Amino acid sequence: MSADSAHPSPAPDPRRWVILAVVCLATLVVLLDNTVLNVAIPSLTEDLGAGTADIQWMINAYALVQSGLLLTAGSLSDRYGRKRALLIGLALFGIGSAAAALAQSSGQLIAARAGMGVGGALLTTTTLAVVMQVFRGAEVPRAIGIWGAVSSLGFAGGPLLGGVLLAHFWWGAIFLINVPVALIGLVAVTRLLPETKDPAGRRPDAPGAVLSTVGMVGLVYAIISGPVHGWGSGPVLLSGAVGLAALGAFVAWEARTPTPMLDLGFFRNRRFNGAVAGGILVAFGMAGSLFLLTQYLQLVLGYRPLEAGLRMSPLALVIVLLNLLGVGARLLPKVGFAGAVAIGMGLLAGGLALLAALGSGHGYPGLLAGLLLMGCGIAVAGPAMAAAVMGAIPPERAGAGAGVQGTVTEFGGGLGVAVLGAVLGSRFAAGLPGSVPASSAKSLPEALAAASDEGARRGAGAFAHGLTSSQLIGAAAVLLGGLLSAALLYRADRPAADPASAPAADPAPEPVRADR
């Protein structure tokens, strides 16, 4: 019996929305853990005796391992099966979370976080690949929109969840809560998900996996360490050089090997390139602005961490609401990929500009207006770009496509934090009064501690002006990049106006189901 006769394409899987709920649950847990640790830093410092370097590694171990393994995890899920990869990812994430909750030293917690990063990489790539396997046609943008809404909720909800748990339990609770969720996910995935994999059965690309992992870890480490240690410091320069060299070797290897982990031919597709460029800039604007605004709310406006998290939440809530209502999915057929990206990136850039224009002089109400506009833009552009990336890749390589999508998000977010943070730092240092020593210009708390009352006021003003400059630069980058992305998508979609080529827009080939 053929796969088509067993699963006729006109009758989609009746469990697909339940499957989406399971996938979103796994996604939510992974993304919550990206930010939940930030609010536990004081408790970890006291209970584990963690120093500044220990805290940095607790936070960065997870991000480094996850970002380094995204491409490899996506490729392996295509080769060995997405259901299998999802189960392994849930198991690793649950075990790592239990180990983190029971850690008795900084080293144990860092090791547990690294293990969670392995599971997180498998979950991040596999969940989006599964969405592309169980949905078809017009339902794809809506399903991706819901998946993206949960991603945004997880990104912004980490500090809120962490604050609530720490108010009632010890710091290990922020990790222990993942264990029952992982167990529920294991049972649901086992019972609900069909197994799908690449029918070509490609050989694993071990050299490509090593080179991509070394390259991404080196580059991401340089990006996240640059603002802390200085961009000209030896470790940062060495890490960046090793990362770039490894990624260059990765590209050269992928171009010559007969079984590449990442088919470089994807980059000859204008739709793919346009969506990747847009994805980097959305992550750039969102992560960079959240990084700056969190500091502004706490250090200038005086909010506590949980209060700052609550005031940042409207951004995520708008994204969730609009995606659950299907606004982006309904708009996409009317304006196309290029129109959706242009509108969304324009709104995102406008939100960043509002933050710059109103944030420093109008307190929180000015920030709220910018956050709401940013949320509208991300809700419109995000699903369109994810659908464009995944739609440009054959369904049997959905894992590789999800790996690219995840890598783009990680790289863009790290770049946004680094670039906008560097702009803020330079403007802040330049605006400090001369009475503040240069050694105290690295951060606002140090500058305030070293300054007089008048100097403290001027220091807070310098920080606010630095924030304005950073957000304006972010707005310009997002707007110009959005126009470029939309232009590439428009050129890619022009042939689709020909009725003879219309069926090519529906990525409908049925994946091989390994359990049939």
Side-chain angles (χ1 to χ4, degrees):
M1 182 180 293
S2 69
D4 287 341
S5 60
H7 294 276
S9 55
D13 192 328
R15 305 170 300 174
R16 62 195 182 279
W17 295 106
V18 179
I19 292 173
L20 178 63
V22 174
V23 163
C24 286
L25 182 64
T27 302
L28 180 63
V29 173
V30 172
L31 289 166
L32 280 172
D33 212 77
N34 275 328
T35 55
V36 72
L37 190 62
N38 293 330
V39 296
I41 288 175
S43 300
L44 292 170
T45 302
E46 180 179 349
D47 292 351
L48 297 182
T52 302
D54 295 327
I55 294 295
Q56 288 175 351
W57 276 109
M58 289 175 190
I59 295 173
N60 294 338
Y62 180 84
L64 285 172
V65 172
Q66 184 185 34
S67 60
L69 291 177
L70 284 170
L71 288 175
T72 301
S75 176
L76 290 176
S77 72
D78 287 337
R79 171 65 179 85
Y80 295 106
R82 288 128 199 162
K83 179 177 181 178
R84 180 180 299 175
L86 194 53
L87 289 171
I88 295 173
L90 284 166
L92 289 175
F93 199 83
I95 294 170
S97 297
L102 301 175
Q104 299 298 311
S105 67
S106 298
Q108 291 176 6
L109 182 53
I110 292 169
R113 291 276 292 168
M116 292 171 68
V118 178
L122 287 166
L123 294 176
T124 299
T125 54
T126 310
T127 51
L128 182 55
V130 168
V131 170
M132 296 302 298
Q133 297 301 306
V134 299
F135 288 93
R136 289 289 179 268
E139 287 185 338
V140 171
R142 185 178 181 190
I144 290 179
I146 294 173
W147 177 85
V150 172
S151 300
S152 299
L153 183 62
F155 186 82
L160 299 180
L161 177 64
V164 171
L165 290 174
L166 289 173
H168 299 89
F169 306 101
W170 100 112
W171 61 263
I174 65 177
F175 301 113
L176 202 59
I177 195 175
N178 295 333
V179 176
V181 176
L183 292 174
I184 294 171
L186 284 168
V187 174
V189 169
T190 300
R191 298 189 56 161
L192 292 173
L193 254 66
E195 181 62 285
T196 60
K197 61 176 67 175
D198 184 352
R202 302 168 190 268
R203 290 187 306 167
D205 179 14
V210 171
L211 290 171
S212 69
T213 301
V214 172
M216 284 304 302
V217 168
L219 196 59
V220 172
Y221 177 78
I223 289 174
I224 63 180
S225 298
V228 178
H229 301 296
W231 292 102
S233 65
V236 172
L237 291 176
L238 178 62
S239 175
V242 170
L244 290 174
L247 288 177
F250 171 72
V251 171
W253 171 257
E254 296 299 286
R256 57 177 293 208
T257 182
T259 56
M261 185 174 75
L262 176 63
D263 187 350
L264 298 181
F266 295 156
F267 292 94
R268 290 193 290 269
N269 185 309
R270 290 194 186 104
R271 175 180 291 181
F272 182 85
N273 290 335
V276 165
I280 290 175
L281 289 163
V282 164
F284 178 96
M286 184 172 179
S289 64
L290 289 180
F291 170 74
L292 300 178
L293 287 177
T294 301
Q295 296 184 70
Y296 180 74
L297 288 169
Q298 294 182 61
L299 301 177
V300 177
L301 299 185
Y303 294 115
R304 291 192 293 269
L306 183 57
E307 294 173 332
L310 285 170
R311 283 162 177 78
M312 296 293 292
S313 62
L315 171 64
L317 293 177
V318 168
I319 298 172
V320 171
L321 178 63
L322 294 182
N323 277 327
L324 290 180
L325 293 175
V327 173
R330 288 200 298 268
L331 183 65
L332 186 56
K334 299 177 182 178
V335 300
F337 288 111
V341 168
I343 293 171
M345 299 290 273
L347 290 172
L348 176 57
L352 288 166
L354 269 182
L355 291 179
L358 302 179
S360 60
H362 296 77
Y364 180 69
L367 295 178
L368 178 61
L371 290 172
L372 294 176
L373 194 58
M374 286 175 62
C376 293
I378 294 171
V380 171
M385 289 183 295
V389 168
M390 300 303 291
I393 292 175
E396 63 270 15
R397 304 300 307 277
V404 172
Q405 175 72 13
T407 302
V408 161
T409 301
E410 290 287 336
F411 179 75
L415 195 64
V417 170
V419 172
L420 298 188
V423 173
L424 171 62
S426 63
R427 295 284 296 173
F428 170 61
L432 285 175
S435 59
V436 177
S439 60
S440 300
K442 295 180 179 179
S443 69
L444 181 59
E446 292 181 10
L448 296 181
S452 61
D453 290 342
E454 176 62 25
R457 284 193 294 270
R458 292 180 61 184
F463 191 90
H465 288 307
L467 178 71
T468 298
S469 301
S470 301
Q471 302 290 24
L472 284 175
I473 290 174
V478 168
L479 180 61
L480 294 176
L483 293 175
L484 173 62
S485 176
L488 290 171
L489 289 168
Y490 176 74
R491 292 185 64 187
D493 286 343
R494 287 177 65 186
D498 181 1
S501 62
D506 184 12
E510 189 72 24
V512 170
R513 297 178 181 263
D515 61 344
R516 301 291 180 182

